[in-house]
Amino acid sequence: MTPPPVTQLKAPRVGLAYLLSQIGAHAADEFGQRLKPLELTTQHVGILRLLAMKPVELTQRKLAEHLRIQPSRLVLLLDELERKGLVARHTDPEDRRAKRLAATEPGLDRFRAVEALTRDLEAELFEDLSRDERAALAGLLRRVAAKADLIPGVHPAYRRLAKKEK
Amino acid sequence: MTPPPVTQLKAPRVGLAYLLSQIGAHAADEFGQRLKPLELTTQHVGILRLLAMKPVELTQRKLAEHLRIQPSRLVLLLDELERKGLVARHTDPEDRRAKRLAATEPGLDRFRAVEALTRDLEAELFEDLSRDERAALAGLLRRVAAKADLIPGVHPAYRRLAKKEK
DNA sequence: TATTGTTATACTCTATAACTATA
DNA sequence: TATAGTTATAGAGTATAACAATA
């Protein structure tokens, strides 16, 4: 698929963390590419994924907090999703400042298309691994994720450049 | 280490590719954080890693091609490394347009510090895995990387937003 | 006075294209 | 005329701060 490197250089030795990061970035890039025909970005999908679980109480403030993104950034993402008719904002009758978020029917359909596309991508990425090997890989990765306190469904890329932590 | 999510939401089901991407991004973020005291970014390290192998024939053009980054971008990265005294540009006597690149002694020292830091990071990330499990994980990942034609030492993040491929 | 969502502004990163000096 | 490296410009993405409506 990818053309071979034109400039041949002896391969440097890299560690397990690097390998993980390299493959992970590749998978994310591929996913992003395949998302284009659906007119979605990975960030949109992260939002749709949560809304597809129908948590009726979810407001923008809470969603931004959960995803670790700026509320102002979420506004733009939701504007885009709303303009496509995939997500709806409803003013909360009990607190007219807040907006309750919900995926629309077309939004759920679109998300199911993303899930199908994801299965295709995984089938290709892990084509060379047996069923047992995939399960073993998943098991190992889940333990690493748990150790790092990663939150399922919350991708670090959301807050990539977030705080300086100085 | 990381505080638990303030907003509790049932965890969405995510696949193996997502898990890989999530952990990979986390590892890359952590690496980037720990690199700060050394005044380097992951891109600088990618360059140092290749130059540490002392490929005397390497010019900027070839390095940019290998890393899949724009030559103009490489200029800035090398400016930064050169200003810190970690890399040197020498005009090629046989083609005075080209610059031969080389890591300086301080550059090699700095790279060795990065390697030490990497070992620490890996020890933490994979603390819960046994020696055999780490080897198994590495083996599986290497097969996935090979299937995807990933080039050792060339991180996709270099060309993350590169071309639209439309 | 505090909070939700929004808008405005600025900053960073990167790609594209123009430029120079050599070939 | 073409190529290596550089500089200049512009665009995308994001964070920060200011703002309006509501509590």
Side-chain angles (χ1 to χ4, degrees), chain A residues 59-61 72 75 89 97-99:
Chain A
T59 63
Q60 291 186 205
R61 179 67 44 166
S72 60
V75 168
R89 287 190 255 221
R97 292 172 305 180
K99 303 282 180 67

Side-chain angles (χ1 to χ4, degrees), chain A residues 49-166:
Chain A
R49 184 180 295 119
L50 289 174
L51 293 183
M53 295 161 59
K54 305 193 203 304
V56 287
E57 79 292 346
L58 209 56
T59 63
Q60 291 186 205
R61 179 67 44 166
K62 286 180 183 168
L63 180 56
E65 193 179 302
H66 184 80
L67 293 176
R68 268 73 174 165
I69 58 177
Q70 298 298 326
S72 60
R73 172 67 186 142
L74 184 56
V75 168
L76 301 180
L77 290 168
L78 288 172
D79 284 350
E80 290 158 3
L81 287 167
E82 198 173 40
R83 199 176 326 117
K84 294 179 204 292
L86 306 178
V87 158
R89 287 190 255 221
H90 305 286
T91 299
D92 183 335
E94 296 178 10
D95 181 348
R96 298 176 41 73
R97 292 172 305 180
K99 303 282 180 67
R100 299 297 178 99
L101 302 172
T104 62
E105 266 311 314
L108 293 173
D109 286 345
R110 193 72 64 93
F111 181 63
R112 280 186 278 269
V114 172
E115 290 186 304
L117 172 160
T118 302
R119 281 189 290 272
D120 292 347
L121 172 60
E122 300 209 336
E124 289 180 37
L125 284 174
F126 307 113
E127 188 183 339
D128 284 3
L129 302 189
S130 72
R131 190 181 180 82
D132 283 353
E133 286 169 333
R134 293 182 208 196
L137 178 57
L140 291 168
L141 290 179
R142 266 182 243 286
R143 284 167 58 197
V144 174
K147 177 67 173 61
D149 291 322
L150 295 182
I151 304 160
V154 177
H155 200 289
Y158 268 117
R159 52 154 184 73
R160 179 61 53 83
L161 305 168
K163 44 182 166 182
K164 301 296 151 62
E165 307 206 8
K166 173 48 202 302

Side-chain angles (χ1 to χ4, degrees), chain B residues 59-61 72 75 89 97-99:
Chain B
T59 62
Q60 290 186 205
R61 179 69 43 168
S72 60
V75 168
R89 290 189 254 220
R97 293 172 305 180
K99 304 281 179 69

